Amino acid sequence: MGSYFVFRCLINCGPKVVPTVKLSIQLICRGSQCSNITSYHWMLYQRDKSNPTAWKQSNDLQLITSTPLNSSRIVIKENSLNQGMNYRLTVLVSNTDGFAGISAYDFLTSLPPVGGTCTIEPSSGIALRTYFTLSCSRWTSSNTPLSYQFQVQLYNGLTSVVYHGFNTSVESLLPSGDLSQNFTVKLNVTVTDSNGATATYANLSVQVGLSQRLNKMVFKGRNLV
């Protein structure tokens, strides 16, 4: 009785591979000859957009993997694959008698949501008193529903999630901004499709003061609300 091979996806196993997430694939041998395998050799090809019947081999596969290319499992690092492309992983398998065979695993990478904008209103207000409206519109993707995550940029590179869900418009209180930055609060929005592909809308900004009285003093008579 001979042997045969099957691929098992371990990580990033949706209908389309998300480029921002690592991909893990394992080749499994089944049959009486599996114990005679001596080596594996992985190769990666990308389909040529101008010629769909042609495939171009990647020469830097080892640089984008965290596993040896002679292992039965391959892990391709996150942010190593192009978006919206067809790929083919092939594995050359050798045994004690010489060349045993080749197996191929085809997959398509996803495209992130595109075409939308996000806004915040009003443009200024009072910390923990003014309700700001956070909105996103016109984002499109072939993989719905879309989710939205609004994050406030804090000090030292930290962030705080204001909202995460499927609503395109929400109201939220915000913390005060930094006095040295004219009380500016910056927010980022991450839009995610049902496959996990993400797009970032960065650097929304709004002025959020500590109190109306203090704001009048700092901004020399300008009211925040």
Side-chain angles (χ1 to χ4, degrees):
M1 182 177 178
S3 301
Y4 64 97
F5 299 94
V6 294
F7 288 96
R8 175 181 295 172
C9 180
L10 304 176
I11 300 174
N12 204 353
C13 305
K16 296 180 181 179
V17 169
V18 181
T20 55
V21 179
K22 69 180 179 181
L23 171 66
S24 179
I25 302 293
Q26 185 173 18
L27 183 68
I28 298 175
C29 180
R30 293 175 178 170
S32 59
Q33 300 300 315
C34 294
S35 59
N36 295 329
I37 293 176
T38 56
S39 68
Y40 300 84
H41 181 67
W42 292 86
M43 293 172 287
L44 178 67
Y45 298 85
Q46 179 177 301
R47 177 173 286 172
D48 189 339
K49 282 190 173 183
S50 61
N51 183 6
T53 62
W55 295 83
K56 181 179 179 181
Q57 184 177 355
S58 171
N59 295 320
D60 59 352
L61 181 57
Q62 186 62 79
L63 298 178
I64 64 173
T65 60
S66 56
T67 49
L69 297 186
N70 60 356
S71 161
S72 63
R73 183 173 70 97
I74 188 169
V75 176
I76 297 179
K77 301 173 185 177
E78 58 271 21
N79 300 311
S80 298
L81 301 172
N82 296 320
Q83 301 170 346
M85 296 297 298
N86 291 91
Y87 286 92
R88 173 172 292 168
L89 273 170
T90 64
V91 192
L92 292 172
V93 182
S94 300
N95 61 18
T96 53
D97 298 324
F99 178 72
I102 184 171
S103 296
Y105 180 87
D106 290 356
F107 62 92
L108 174 66
T109 55
S110 62
L111 286 168
V114 295
T117 60
C118 297
T119 60
I120 180 169
E121 294 181 347
S123 60
S124 59
I126 306 300
L128 304 180
R129 183 182 303 177
T130 302
Y131 278 90
F132 293 90
T133 300
L134 313 173
S135 302
C136 289
S137 61
R138 298 189 299 277
W139 289 94
T140 60
S141 172
S142 58
N143 305 300
T144 57
L146 301 179
S147 64
Y148 304 86
Q149 180 172 277
F150 291 85
Q151 289 183 314
V152 174
Q153 298 180 27
L154 302 176
Y155 311 109
N156 300 321
L158 300 176
T159 60
S160 175
V161 176
V162 175
Y163 171 79
H164 186 195
F166 297 102
N167 293 330
T168 58
S169 182
V170 296
E171 289 189 340
S172 177
L173 298 170
L174 294 176
S176 64
D178 186 352
L179 173 60
S180 65
Q181 300 295 322
N182 204 24
F183 289 103
T184 298
V185 173
K186 294 183 178 180
L187 298 94
N188 293 334
V189 187
T190 302
V191 185
T192 307
D193 71 13
S194 58
N195 278 340
T198 63
T200 299
Y201 195 91
N203 295 326
L204 286 174
S205 63
V206 64
Q207 287 179 309
V208 186
L210 294 172
S211 69
Q212 190 168 4
R213 180 180 178 183
L214 177 58
N215 291 334
K216 288 180 180 179
M217 295 172 59
V218 172
F219 294 108
K220 298 180 180 179
R222 289 173 50 205
N223 289 327
L224 285 177
V225 293

